[in-house]
Every structure is written in C-alpha cells, then in structure tokens.
Amino acid sequence: MKPEIIDHLSEKQIQELCQLFQSTWWAKGRKLPDVQRMLNHSDLIVALCHHSSRQLLGFSRILTDYVYRAILFDVVIRDNYRQQGLGKILMEAIINHPDLQEIEGLILFCQPEVIPFYQKWGFWGKSDRLEIMIRPAAETELLQEKAGSLMN
C-alpha cells in the first residue's frame, strides 16, 4: 500500500491524530482543543493517509525559522501500520520537503532504541557541547514527568 503524503489534516484526521497520540508515551493525554491549537501554530506538517479511506496513518510536524534550524516533532506511525515501511516514507518526505532544503540543521529528540532508524537519514547523536534543557510551563506532575522522561 502506498500512502498519500499530505500537509494539512481534515477535522476527522485531527481527531484520529488525537487518538494516535494516546498510543505514545510523550503525547498521551493530549486533548483535542490543544492539538488543534498546536496544529495551527506548527510551521509544517508532513503526514500520511490511506489513499482511499483518508485514514491518518502517520504524522510529523516541524517548527522552523526556514534558515538556520528546524525541529522535528511527533513522528509517529499508527500501531497496526508499523513495520511496513511507512516510517521510511514519512522520513523521506520530511528530508526532501522543499521548504527544508536550505536549513542548516534539522533537529529531533528521540529515545535510544530508535537512534539507528534516524541515523539512516544523517541524524547523529548527543553532542558533548550541547545539553537539552526544558522549563515546564506549569508545576504539574504530568509536565514534570514528561520533562524528566525527555531528559533520560
């Protein structure tokens, strides 16, 4: 199956994205109004949908200044479509996106077990000169947990 690459989500696909987020450790608990607001303020969206049913199969979003840096967030494939090459299709669409060709550096955060996947596209690991720092917006257990898991 060859999915369609899309750059905007329908209302139904936004609801599917919210459901898809619930299957992840980093986005579990995200609510529909917040996801809609997040999408409105994301610079680029690269997503995959089924060519006939339009079901959302994969998703990613990018925040960028279009010159120096772009940060890739929320790379996720629907559980029952994993191990079918969709992650590769999604990453190729991101790497080859016309708006990202002049960017000096594309950045992402990931867990150690998926580092080999991202290395296929030229991403490399931790720097001895840079450290990831996060300041939670509110002192809630959920934000502290998420910040702590990102730092580990």
Side-chain angles (χ1 to χ4, degrees):
M1 184 226 2
K2 185 167 166 85
E4 184 178 338
I5 299 166
I6 57 175
D7 60 6
H8 288 86
L9 302 182
S10 69
E11 286 302 316
K12 182 175 186 266
Q13 289 167 334
I14 293 171
Q15 292 173 0
E16 292 172 344
L17 175 61
C18 211
Q19 292 168 350
L20 182 57
F21 279 154
Q22 303 315 306
S23 70
T24 69
W25 64 268
W26 74 89
K28 190 175 186 125
R30 288 184 181 175
K31 306 287 186 229
L32 184 60
D34 297 330
V35 170
Q36 290 171 318
R37 193 167 132 216
M38 172 203 72
L39 292 169
N40 288 338
H41 295 286
S42 294
D43 297 310
L44 299 170
I45 292 169
V46 180
L48 303 176
C49 73
H50 190 278
H51 66 280
S52 58
S53 71
R54 311 301 294 164
Q55 179 186 38
L56 186 67
L57 305 177
F59 175 82
S60 67
R61 65 187 179 99
I62 297 107
L63 300 181
T64 184
D65 58 22
Y66 296 98
V67 178
Y68 301 110
R69 301 286 180 266
I71 303 174
L72 178 57
F73 291 103
D74 298 328
V75 178
V76 61
I77 300 293
R78 185 176 292 278
D79 283 343
N80 55 332
Y81 285 90
R82 291 184 183 160
Q83 305 302 317
Q84 297 181 32
L86 296 184
K88 179 182 179 183
I89 293 170
L90 185 61
M91 287 303 297
E92 291 291 335
I94 295 164
I95 298 300
N96 294 314
H97 194 288
D99 291 344
L100 299 176
Q101 297 311 297
E102 302 296 321
I103 301 289
E104 283 185 6
L106 181 58
I107 300 162
L108 64 78
F109 305 101
C110 70
Q111 291 193 295
E113 62 266 19
V114 293
I115 288 173
F117 175 77
Y118 292 112
Q119 285 176 329
K120 295 174 189 173
W121 287 276
F123 289 90
W124 48 274
K126 199 173 186 181
S127 167
D128 61 349
R129 297 181 60 187
L130 299 174
E131 198 64 42
I132 297 170
M133 298 178 70
I134 298 171
R135 180 185 179 272
E139 295 298 321
T140 66
E141 279 185 40
L142 179 62
L143 286 174
Q144 288 175 348
E145 272 181 35
K146 286 183 179 182
S149 64
L150 286 173
M151 299 302 283
N152 295 327

